[in-house]
Amino acid sequence: MGREAAGRTLGEKTVPQMPVTGLERDNDPATSGVQAPPSGRIGTGRFIRRPAEPFWTRLHRGLAANLVKEQERGVAFLFVPVFLGIGVILYFSLTVEPGFLQLGLVGGILVALALACRRIPAAQLLVFALLAIAAGLLAAKFETWSADTKVLGSEITTRVTGTVVLVERRANGRTRLTMDVLKTERPKLRYQPDRIRATTRSEVSHIHPGSHIKGLVRLRPPPGPVQPGSYDFSRENYFDGLGANGFFLSAVETVADGASGGVQQRVSIFIADLRDRLSTRISETIGGREGAIAAALITGTKAGIPDDVNEALRRTGLAHILSISGLHMALVAGFVMLVLRAGCGLFPGFSSRRPVKKYAAIAALGAIFFYLFVSGTSVATQRSFIMLAVMLAALLYDRAAITMRNLAISAIVVILVAPHEVIGPSFQMSFAATAALIAAYAVWSERRERRIEARGVSDLDGRWEIPRTLLRYGGGLAFTSLIAGTATALFAAYHFHRIAPYGLIANLAAMPLVSVMVMPSAVFAMILMPFGLDSLPLTVMGWGISLVIAIAEWLAARTVFDEVGIIPMRAVAVLALGLVLLTLLTSRLRLTSIPLIAVGLMMIIMRQEPDVLISEDARLVAVKSDSAALAVNRKRPNAFTLDNWKRALRAAVVEKPLSEFEGEGIFSCTDDLCIIRQTGGALLVHSKSAEKASVWCREAAIIIVDDATASGVCSNERIAVITKRHLAKWGSAAIAFRSTGNHMAADIDYAVSEPYRPWHGHRAFSRAARGMPPWRRKKAGTGNKPRPASK
């Protein structure tokens, strides 16, 4: 037989073939049907050398194979809410408000590109991703346009008449009232907010939702972030419809019923009144701080919880118990389904002929729907309801309930209904925890099935069933707490500048009490309350809550630290992208998350924290020293602002000002002037008047003037001068010093920029932003010119 050169394929590689003989031809898989040995041994035992395949070729082939696997598993759909969320985040990150015409034009171009790329799948997927981002932008723009909240421009004292829509009875004995404004007088506001929130001086037990009241109120515009990059109260109030906050200067009086309002307002008042009465009944039955927490778990009213209990729960990672979210909805739905299925199990004939599981799912859906309205229909509760409703609906159609696809559907609905929640901690933490748990459970289930198939073993001896069940429950609880805590730690650190070192231990100890004792008792109490038989289950619920509080306080007292400082936004974005890839991808492509997570952690390690923080009212200044102390210029600083600054700058102690200069790192103050020399050598001056501040123009690196009318304080351009007008226009400030040789230069970052977004537009109308002194009521004989504020 003549010899001929040929090539043949082994797997996916083509290698040159040695000349073959008859015996070798018989051993050839192409002719004999026998599979070639994997070692590369051909026929007679001779080895052939395969040429090394380039690394990039193997990488490309593996990447393509994994992409096909992800596509077959439907992972592309899971990224729809991710790109929608990116669009929403992009909208709120813009410095200029986009118009509908601009967004519509971008959307039209992308639709045309999608039609043009129908024959190119990769390009079409890219265009679809851009379309989802554009849809997120448009949804956020539409929500902002539809909110159109009227926001007060400057502080004012006026008489307000309105309708109470929400009553929050606080632990300090005061009551916070949210009211729809009917009219204002003395003076009558030309740009009157539609809804305000004001706190009374004492408890007002005679006021309920729907009451028409009036009183003298000191109103303020919603504040901005306490430091650049932190939570924006102005934006949140804008989307909540709140145009001002304040407090009553007089007793609250009830007036004759005015306009009843529309159907939506009447329904809202009815639900709020029901919640108020339920909260009162629960609090009075249980009593104390346990009663306040029980009311929060059932009706969502958290105002009555004492501050020390709130702090203990936050430090131990148990504060999520107070927020009615997926945990509470799942416990209520699961308990209702368990009771109904167990009850139907007592009648075997009925349960064998009927779809009892679907009946239980319908009942659970009704229970969480009722829970949604009783708990106040907050956005966080709405999100949880949507997630559970999708899962229960999946059970009705014989589909898997807890899947990543159902979570994606829930996320899409929430993003389209309330886009602004995407940038809030509640949305980010709940969806991050749920996605991480589903992904981790999928990996565990897949490995468990492979292990069972490999061993061929199903169950162990029946006598070990109870210990195995207990061990499985404990391990599952620890596993759940660890995964959820790790997934949410990033967002807790970013929004609150804190983590819970003992969070795993606290959840392991407290969550069994919540799952087995607290929430089932709450369900029984709500069922028996119409019959007046709710005392016993509420008492049991109080016992469980008391144990949870004891666990939180014991661990909080032993927590050495929980502050992590300011987390850069860029690091959060990189780490969040890594978390998305790690949880949504199912193949080896999830390994791409590792470099992203590593880069994000390095960005946190290499971050630069500000040296100075200034409040937006120009009254409070804080300087970080090398000894982890925070020096402030006021002996009685604002507690809320100071607490946030301590966590942001990881300060252990606060140094109050002294009357004499004591050296670096502490303020020395007189009545109108405070000076401090920062540990890096920069001199900082805070003054109530431009005249006294100008004396320090040769020495100071930063001069802060608590006067909106101040101008031309220093002629030296190297000196950074910040006046009350600057802070009124641009919000709180953060300053980082850098050495430029002969002097210390200051990099100033403000919380707000111009042109204003809709939720910051009111800042331009404040008296301070216009360079005017505070408004004072004119006295007889003083003329028409307003008297400046006293220095």
Side-chain angles (χ1 to χ4, degrees):
M1 178 181 297
R3 297 180 178 270
E4 56 183 12
R8 83 175 169 153
T9 301
L10 291 176
E12 294 183 357
K13 300 181 180 179
T14 301
V15 297
Q17 185 87 331
M18 295 292 293
V20 296
T21 63
L23 179 60
E24 293 170 342
R25 189 183 302 275
D26 293 338
N27 291 330
D28 193 336
T31 58
S32 66
V34 180
Q35 184 175 3
S39 62
R41 186 184 300 272
I42 303 298
T44 59
R46 291 175 297 171
F47 286 89
I48 61 173
R49 182 181 299 275
R50 299 177 182 174
E53 190 176 31
F55 168 77
W56 295 110
T57 302
R58 285 180 289 151
L59 179 64
H60 179 268
R61 188 174 66 250
L63 180 62
N66 284 293
L67 286 174
V68 171
K69 185 184 296 184
E70 299 288 357
Q71 185 177 3
E72 292 174 347
R73 295 177 177 177
V75 174
F77 176 77
L78 304 182
F79 280 87
V80 173
V82 174
F83 289 116
L84 283 173
I86 291 175
V88 172
I89 294 173
L90 180 61
Y91 170 81
F92 285 106
S93 301
L94 294 175
T95 57
V96 180
E97 183 67 18
F100 279 109
L101 181 60
Q102 297 169 316
L103 297 178
L105 181 61
V106 171
I109 294 174
L110 290 175
V111 169
L113 286 175
L115 294 175
C117 298
R118 285 177 297 179
R119 299 180 181 275
I120 311 175
Q124 193 174 40
L125 281 176
L126 176 61
V127 174
F128 282 153
L130 295 176
L131 265 174
I133 294 174
L137 277 161
L138 187 61
K141 171 63 180 178
F142 179 79
E143 185 190 26
T144 302
W145 172 79
S146 60
D148 195 25
T149 301
K150 294 180 180 179
V151 182
L152 190 69
S154 189
E155 289 190 31
I156 192 70
T157 300
T158 181
R159 295 187 177 274
V160 178
T161 302
T163 303
V164 177
V165 295
L166 181 63
V167 178
E168 298 173 276
R169 308 187 192 280
R170 313 190 75 171
N172 58 10
R174 298 181 179 182
T175 303
R176 188 167 64 178
L177 304 176
T178 302
M179 52 191 294
D180 288 338
V181 179
L182 299 177
K183 66 176 181 179
T184 57
E185 51 189 350
R186 290 186 292 176
K188 178 178 176 59
L189 302 183
R190 289 177 293 178
Y191 194 71
Q192 174 181 295
D194 295 325
R195 178 170 290 185
I196 65 171
R197 180 181 288 157
T199 303
T200 64
R201 289 184 170 183
S202 59
E203 185 177 359
V204 284
S205 57
H206 63 287
I207 302 296
H208 300 282
S211 300
H212 295 272
I213 63 172
K214 69 176 181 180
L216 184 66
V217 186
R218 179 67 174 176
L219 294 176
R220 298 190 181 103
V226 293
Q227 78 252 358
S230 66
Y231 186 81
D232 194 342
F233 296 94
S234 296
R235 182 176 57 218
E236 187 65 25
N237 284 3
Y238 179 87
F239 288 105
D240 288 342
L242 291 171
N245 298 289
F247 53 90
F248 283 90
L249 297 175
S250 66
V252 181
E253 305 175 25
T254 57
V255 297
D257 291 350
S260 59
V263 175
Q264 183 178 0
Q265 186 186 45
R266 291 198 296 270
V267 172
S268 176
I269 289 175
F270 171 78
I271 295 174
D273 185 55
L274 176 63
R275 294 178 61 216
D276 183 51
R277 296 181 188 277
L278 284 174
S279 298
T280 303
R281 183 182 181 94
I282 295 167
S283 300
E284 292 178 350
T285 301
I286 299 178
R289 53 188 188 175
E290 292 83 2
I293 292 181
L297 293 176
I298 295 177
T299 65
T301 55
K302 296 180 285 187
I305 303 175
D307 292 338
D308 59 332
V309 176
N310 272 321
E311 181 63 19
L313 293 172
R314 293 191 191 104
R315 289 177 68 88
T316 54
L318 293 175
H320 65 91
I321 295 175
L322 302 178
S323 178
I324 297 178
S325 56
L327 169 67
H328 306 76
M329 288 279 183
L331 289 175
V332 170
F335 183 72
V336 170
M337 290 188 67
L338 178 64
V339 171
L340 287 179
R341 295 189 69 179
C344 292
L346 299 176
F347 304 94
F350 175 81
S351 58
S352 62
R353 294 192 305 267
R354 302 290 183 181
V356 174
K357 185 178 181 180
K358 294 184 179 181
Y359 293 164
I362 294 174
L365 186 60
I368 63 173
F369 184 75
F370 175 74
Y371 193 21
L372 169 69
F373 285 98
V374 169
S375 60
T377 63
S378 65
V379 177
T381 312
Q382 292 178 27
R383 178 184 63 253
S384 305
F385 170 78
I386 293 171
M387 291 174 60
L388 264 296
V390 170
M391 294 177 183
L392 292 173
L395 290 178
L396 296 178
Y397 290 95
D398 299 317
R399 299 293 184 91
I402 305 177
T403 65
M404 198 71 79
R405 187 177 185 87
N406 290 345
L407 180 66
I409 294 173
S410 304
I412 291 172
V413 173
V414 172
I415 292 173
L416 295 179
V417 171
H420 77 278
E421 284 297 312
V422 173
I423 58 176
S426 182
F427 177 94
Q428 296 170 4
M429 295 177 71
S430 63
F431 276 102
T434 308
L437 288 173
I438 294 175
Y441 179 76
V443 173
W444 177 82
S445 299
E446 184 178 351
R447 292 186 176 182
R448 180 173 178 269
E449 291 177 0
R450 287 202 303 262
R451 187 170 62 251
I452 292 176
E453 291 177 359
R455 295 180 180 179
V457 179
S458 56
D459 291 327
L460 297 177
D461 195 335
R463 60 186 173 180
W464 298 102
E465 186 62 29
I466 295 178
R468 287 176 60 210
T469 302
L470 294 177
L471 183 61
R472 189 183 300 116
Y473 177 77
L477 185 61
F479 176 78
T480 300
S481 300
L482 180 62
I483 295 298
T486 303
T488 58
L490 167 65
F491 305 106
Y494 173 68
H495 290 285
F496 309 116
H497 312 307
R498 70 194 311 172
I499 58 174
Y502 293 150
L504 177 59
I505 299 174
N507 280 275
L508 286 176
M511 289 315 298
L513 295 170
V514 176
S515 304
V516 178
M517 193 173 182
V518 175
M519 292 308 296
S521 299
V523 176
F524 276 126
M526 293 303 298
I527 295 174
L528 298 176
M529 190 174 289
F531 308 101
L533 304 175
D534 55 318
S535 178
L536 179 59
L538 285 178
T539 302
V540 175
M541 184 180 183
W543 293 343
I545 293 174
S546 180
L547 293 174
V548 172
I549 294 176
I551 293 170
E553 290 180 336
W554 191 84
L555 289 174
R558 287 156 180 79
T559 300
V560 179
F561 77 97
D562 64 344
E563 298 89 359
V564 295
I566 297 175
I567 306 297
M569 180 62 177
R570 289 173 293 180
V572 175
V574 173
L575 287 170
L577 179 58
L579 181 63
V580 166
L581 297 180
L582 183 62
T583 55
L584 297 190
L585 297 178
T586 60
S587 66
R588 291 186 178 181
L589 289 179
R590 63 161 56 106
L591 296 177
T592 56
S593 64
I594 295 177
L596 291 174
I597 294 174
V599 171
L601 293 176
M602 286 299 300
M603 294 172 71
I604 293 177
I605 294 173
M606 300 175 63
R607 63 186 162 170
Q608 181 182 5
E609 295 177 343
D611 299 304
V612 181
L613 292 175
I614 309 172
S615 64
E616 67 176 2
D617 61 359
R619 301 181 65 190
L620 184 62
V621 182
V623 179
K624 176 74 177 294
S625 67
D626 290 340
S627 59
L630 193 65
V632 295
N633 67 318
R634 297 179 65 86
K635 292 184 178 180
R636 298 180 62 185
N638 181 279
F640 177 80
T641 302
L642 183 61
D643 184 56
N644 278 272
W645 286 0
K646 283 178 60 181
R647 295 197 304 269
L649 297 180
R650 294 180 289 173
V653 295
V654 175
E655 299 283 357
K656 301 293 181 65
L658 301 176
S659 57
E660 298 180 359
F661 185 72
E662 296 288 340
E664 294 183 349
I666 192 168
F667 276 98
S668 58
C669 298
T670 60
D671 293 337
D672 297 330
L673 186 72
C674 288
I675 62 173
I676 184 174
R677 187 170 295 279
Q678 192 248 357
T679 52
L683 183 68
L684 186 144
V685 176
H686 178 273
S687 176
K688 293 183 179 180
S689 68
E691 181 181 357
K692 292 188 176 182
S694 61
V695 178
W696 296 88
C697 287
R698 292 186 178 182
E699 301 180 47
I702 294 285
I703 294 180
I704 304 158
V705 183
D706 187 9
D707 183 4
T709 62
S711 62
V713 177
C714 292
S715 58
N716 189 349
E717 296 182 354
R718 295 187 305 176
I719 307 300
V721 178
I722 301 175
T723 68
K724 193 180 188 74
R725 183 181 186 185
H726 294 140
L727 297 167
K729 291 171 62 177
W730 303 322
S732 57
I735 302 174
F737 289 111
R738 53 183 173 83
S739 177
T740 59
N742 297 330
H743 71 286
M744 298 292 291
D747 296 326
I748 306 175
D749 182 24
Y750 291 97
V752 180
S753 62
E754 292 186 275
Y756 293 126
R757 304 300 296 275
W759 46 90
H760 290 147
H762 63 278
R763 305 186 76 94
F765 301 99
S766 69
R767 295 180 64 86
R770 290 179 288 169
M772 302 170 63
W775 185 84
R776 299 285 184 180
R777 191 181 297 276
K778 292 181 291 186
K779 295 183 179 180
T782 59
N784 295 326
K785 185 176 180 180
R787 181 170 59 89
S790 60
K791 302 299 182 185

